[in-house]
Amino acid sequence: METDVVVALNHMVAPALDVPRFFDLAVGLGCRGVEIRNDLGDGAVAGGLAPEEVARLAAGRGLTILSINALQRFNDWSEARAEEAQALADYAGRCGAGALVLVPVNDAGWQPPLEERRAGLRRALSGLAPILAEAGILGLVEPLGFEICSLRSKREAVAAIDDLGLGDRFRLVHDTFHHHLAGEGDLFPERTGLVHISGVEDRAVPLADLRDAHRVLIGPADLIGNAAQIRALHAGGYRGPVSFEPFAASVHADPDIAGALRASIHHLAAALAWMAAE
């Protein structure tokens, strides 16, 4: 792109593809970064491939594995969660992934008092830090904008990280969809390690009712200001990748996902170039 934005793909763009074909999709679109997941199919990381095989497949195509997405409910820390984090971090280190995405509890039935929730976040970060350090990877904290989410604010995440002195181990995920839902003004580009992008085009759905199923590829009808958010992050010094992460079934069923992604990439490039010229 004219704005030096680096485009990457999250496996959620085409969850029916196996890892080799997903990697081929990325290469065919000129992407050099990919994110693998542990919530597709049977829930195994990268479809159950050994981490060394994933590393080999990526290296052979000149791809960088940006992250494993994700450790869910990370801020509800427990012995079981620590074991899950250890397994994912070990896999990440062995496959060459640079980070593990950390997703907070998003459950209406899990609503501890404010101070308990904040203490739990700090306990989780403290427990994760040595696990991540041993694997040689970063933790990418991804606040979610849903009203029921236990961690909606990037500012709250940064405050906890800084209170613990763990800024060298944790970064933020700026998700354009969740940033829009949360209504948080601050961007924290200097603390951001990865950007997730997707569009919303359905004008009939109220903001509070938007869900992952409404997340499509970015096009001219986008309602959540992806280009503006990326431009602001770039202006603030962010130079990392922006990773396509649409969840809509219509995207996943597209028989020409490569063509759809190519059109979305071109649209976004044109929008960013137009904003840069203003």
Side-chain angles (χ1 to χ4, degrees), residues 19-20 22-23 27 32 34-36 45-68 89-98:
V19 168
F22 166 58
F23 285 179
V27 172
R32 288 293 173 262
V34 290
E35 296 181 82
I36 59 176
V45 183
L49 290 177
E52 293 78 11
E53 176 65 5
V54 174
R56 186 189 69 80
L57 291 168
R61 292 164 172 79
L63 292 170
T64 297
I65 302 175
L66 302 174
S67 80
I68 294 179
D90 178 67
Y91 191 106
R94 291 165 61 196
C95 80

Side-chain angles (χ1 to χ4, degrees), residues 74-90:
F74 86 92
N75 54 336
D76 183 15
W77 195 247
S78 64
E79 183 176 340
R81 195 78 65 241
E83 291 176 358
E84 183 183 2
Q86 184 72 61
L88 286 171
D90 178 67

Side-chain angles (χ1 to χ4, degrees), residues 106 144-149 152 175-183 198-216 221-226 229 247-248:
N106 185 53
L144 305 183
F146 300 125
E147 291 181 355
I148 62 171
C149 185
R152 301 184 73 205
D175 185 296
T176 55
F177 173 80
H178 287 296
H179 181 77
H180 182 77
L181 261 60
S198 57
V200 173
E201 297 183 347
D202 193 338
R203 295 180 178 274
V205 182
L207 183 68
D209 293 337
L210 287 173
R211 296 293 182 266
D212 281 337
H214 298 105
R215 298 172 65 173
V216 297
D222 180 40
L223 300 173
I224 65 174
N226 272 274
Q229 289 188 48
F247 283 78

Side-chain angles (χ1 to χ4, degrees), residues 115-167:
E115 290 308 312
E116 181 181 332
R117 178 172 57 77
R118 288 179 172 171
L121 173 60
R122 285 158 175 76
R123 184 165 58 252
L125 293 172
S126 296
L128 280 161
I131 294 172
L132 298 169
E134 182 180 6
I137 64 172
L138 294 175
L140 297 176
V141 179
E142 183 170 18
L144 305 183
F146 300 125
E147 291 181 355
I148 62 171
C149 185
S150 58
L151 181 61
R152 301 184 73 205
S153 164
K154 291 189 285 291
R155 179 167 293 283
E156 183 177 340
V158 167
I161 292 166
D162 287 349
D163 283 352
L164 297 168
L166 293 174

